[in-house]
Amino acid sequence: MGFIRAAMASSLAQLTCVAAALAALAAQSATLSGSVIGDDGKPVPQATVFVYAAHLKQGYAVVCPTCWIDCGKHTETDEAGHFAIEGLNPDLKFRVLVAKDQYSAAQKGNLDPAQGPAGPIKLKLREKATDPRMLVHGRVIDADGAAVKGALIEPEGAFSAPANAVFGSVVGERLAVSNAAGEFQLATSEPFDQVLLNVSPRGLAPTVAMIETGERVSTVRVAAGATVMGRLLRKDGAPVPNVEMALAPRYQEGTEMALGEIRVGTDPSGRFAFTNVPPGHLWQLFPTDSVVPLNLAAQPVQCLTRADGEVVQVGKITLTKALTLKGRVVDSDGSYTAVSLDGVTTSDTRIARLGKDGSFEFPGVTPGPHRLMLSKSDALFQFGEPVLEVLMDRDQTVVFRAVGMRDKSE
């Protein structure tokens, strides 16, 4: 009996330890909750809500936004339209996708479970297509032919003969989500022959696909992608941790325009790794404006991803002292309120408001060619406004004349 009591006590102690560990784990996790409603304001039950991407509340993640273990967690709304996704990382903010048959999919980002329930997410009933050419029906599969669930599909443009083309929101539905069979549907605003889609699966390489409209199911195949790795260092060889690196298509035209940038952070040793990079493209790699407070910059590094599964080593990237571009706008009638900078990398693309005397300043500028453009608002690069080209090989102060300059319309 003593042996049995001792064994029972030992088992009870073990169960107590397990319960304590689970309680501690639960205390360290977060629950994302909210509701889904229709156009009429009524709850939408049995809608699927799942975590598509995440980002750190502070600092820069060393993994891609859709590569967190939290991504892919999902649930269905109850009869009151409510949802709750448990066991999430409390250090993250989340982007969720919401889908249900017969409805246009929706998304909501920058959700912080610590801020309480998310505001209502609205789903709109999809209008029945009056013409087969107003319907896009596709299926996403991986390299092995397996269905890819939860891929985000976004139309970039639509085309029809002889020369009709539209881009942006006028295409129709703004997004769709592939279901368990990998299938998705999109409705367009008018009949088209083809639609250009940006397909972004979680944990796989995004791709751009041109598919025909109609009831036929078109197949979109996605790959695992390549990996681009390297290390960010100071001039003295010290690592640069916790800054953000960007990988952008070298040629911003055609299908590359839809691919967009990929961003990850550096680890404590300054190393970084871009995973699931689309193969068959030229890329340029550079630090984002996260290095501006350090007064550092680097010239873009070019690389080519040739094949699926390839690992591209770009080696060491050395940061050097960033430059400062100052100036003053003269001969202005007072209508210009800001000046925008278009430079070597997208991290150089920013805008500065003019002082009362027309002065402006851009710190943390990458050496190389840049363009300044005057603006009558806080919008970047307004068509037809005066342009000044500058070659940054040192700190510079320039005079920008608001009249008599070459502009984009010439």
Side-chain angles (χ1 to χ4, degrees):
M1 291 293 293
F3 173 79
I4 295 175
R5 283 195 298 269
M8 291 176 62
S10 176
S11 298
L12 182 60
Q14 291 175 0
L15 289 173
T16 302
C17 290
V18 170
L22 290 174
L25 183 63
Q28 295 172 3
S29 66
T31 298
L32 179 64
S33 61
S35 60
V36 178
I37 61 174
D39 278 339
D40 56 3
K42 295 181 179 180
V44 178
Q46 296 180 325
T48 300
V49 183
F50 67 92
V51 177
Y52 174 73
H55 66 272
L56 286 171
K57 295 179 183 178
Q58 296 182 338
Y60 305 102
V62 297
V63 298
C64 78
T66 64
C67 295
W68 292 93
I69 193 171
D70 305 79
C71 298
K73 291 185 177 180
H74 60 279
T75 188
E76 284 193 354
T77 54
D78 61 18
E79 291 301 314
H82 296 146
F83 68 88
I85 304 175
E86 302 176 342
L88 299 177
N89 187 335
D91 296 326
L92 299 176
K93 290 185 177 182
F94 301 96
R95 179 184 179 190
V96 300
L97 302 182
V98 185
K100 184 177 180 179
D101 288 345
Q102 310 305 320
Y103 286 82
S104 298
Q107 63 178 325
K108 195 163 189 175
N110 207 34
L111 299 180
D112 184 355
Q115 299 300 315
I121 303 173
K122 183 176 289 187
L123 289 185
K124 182 179 180 181
L125 272 171
R126 179 186 293 120
E127 295 182 8
K128 189 173 182 179
T130 57
D131 187 316
R133 294 169 62 235
M134 296 177 65
L135 179 67
V136 180
H137 194 178
R139 182 170 183 259
V140 185
I141 61 173
D142 62 18
D144 297 323
V148 176
K149 177 184 177 181
L152 174 62
I153 295 94
E154 299 168 293
E156 298 289 338
F159 310 87
S160 57
N164 182 32
V166 300
F167 298 91
S169 60
V170 293
V171 173
E173 288 185 90
R174 293 307 304 136
L175 63 99
V177 181
S178 59
N179 61 20
E183 295 190 16
F184 64 89
Q185 287 190 357
L186 278 165
T188 61
S189 57
E190 59 182 275
F192 293 102
D193 295 327
Q194 294 177 311
V195 176
L196 180 67
L197 301 175
N198 189 356
V199 181
S200 304
R202 291 179 292 104
L204 295 170
T207 191
V208 178
M210 183 80 79
I211 70 173
E212 295 181 356
T213 56
E215 297 179 355
R216 184 177 69 87
V217 180
S218 299
T219 299
V220 179
R221 188 181 295 271
V222 294
T227 300
V228 177
M229 304 177 69
R231 193 179 185 197
L232 194 63
L233 302 173
R234 293 177 182 265
K235 198 171 182 179
D236 61 3
V240 185
N242 196 34
V243 298
E244 190 179 46
M245 299 294 292
L247 189 68
R250 176 66 180 84
Y251 298 108
Q252 296 291 329
E253 58 188 23
T255 58
E256 284 82 1
M257 291 183 64
L259 288 174
E261 284 185 357
I262 309 170
R263 296 192 173 197
V264 297
T266 57
D267 69 10
S269 66
R271 290 185 172 84
F272 58 85
F274 293 88
T275 57
N276 313 125
V277 180
H281 295 277
L282 277 168
W283 303 86
Q284 59 178 3
L285 174 67
F286 52 90
T288 69
D289 55 7
S290 60
V291 300
V292 170
L294 304 176
N295 197 32
L296 296 171
Q299 288 288 334
V301 173
Q302 316 298 320
C303 66
L304 173 65
T305 51
R306 293 179 176 84
D308 193 34
E310 177 188 21
V311 176
V312 179
Q313 293 281 359
V314 299
K316 299 175 182 177
I317 298 177
T318 302
L319 292 174
T320 57
K321 181 179 178 296
L323 302 176
T324 299
L325 175 58
K326 298 180 181 180
R328 188 165 62 91
V329 176
V330 298
D331 298 337
S332 172
D333 61 2
S335 62
Y336 293 110
T337 61
V339 60
S340 53
L341 177 69
D342 182 18
V344 177
T345 68
T346 54
S347 63
D348 291 313
T349 302
R350 13 187 176 136
I351 194 165
R353 295 194 62 81
L354 298 178
K356 292 182 179 180
D357 60 350
S359 62
F360 61 88
E361 179 176 344
F362 290 100
V365 176
T366 305
H370 295 260
R371 290 192 313 161
L372 293 170
M373 183 179 293
L374 290 180
S375 174
K376 295 178 181 178
S377 68
D378 288 339
L380 288 167
F381 313 129
Q382 292 177 310
F383 180 82
E385 300 300 348
V387 173
L388 178 65
E389 296 178 345
V390 182
L391 180 60
M392 292 296 294
D393 53 5
R394 64 189 184 282
D395 292 338
Q396 292 193 47
T397 300
V398 298
V399 175
F400 194 163
R401 298 190 181 279
V403 295
M405 301 298 298
R406 176 178 62 82
D407 63 48
K408 292 177 65 177
S409 64
E410 295 181 349

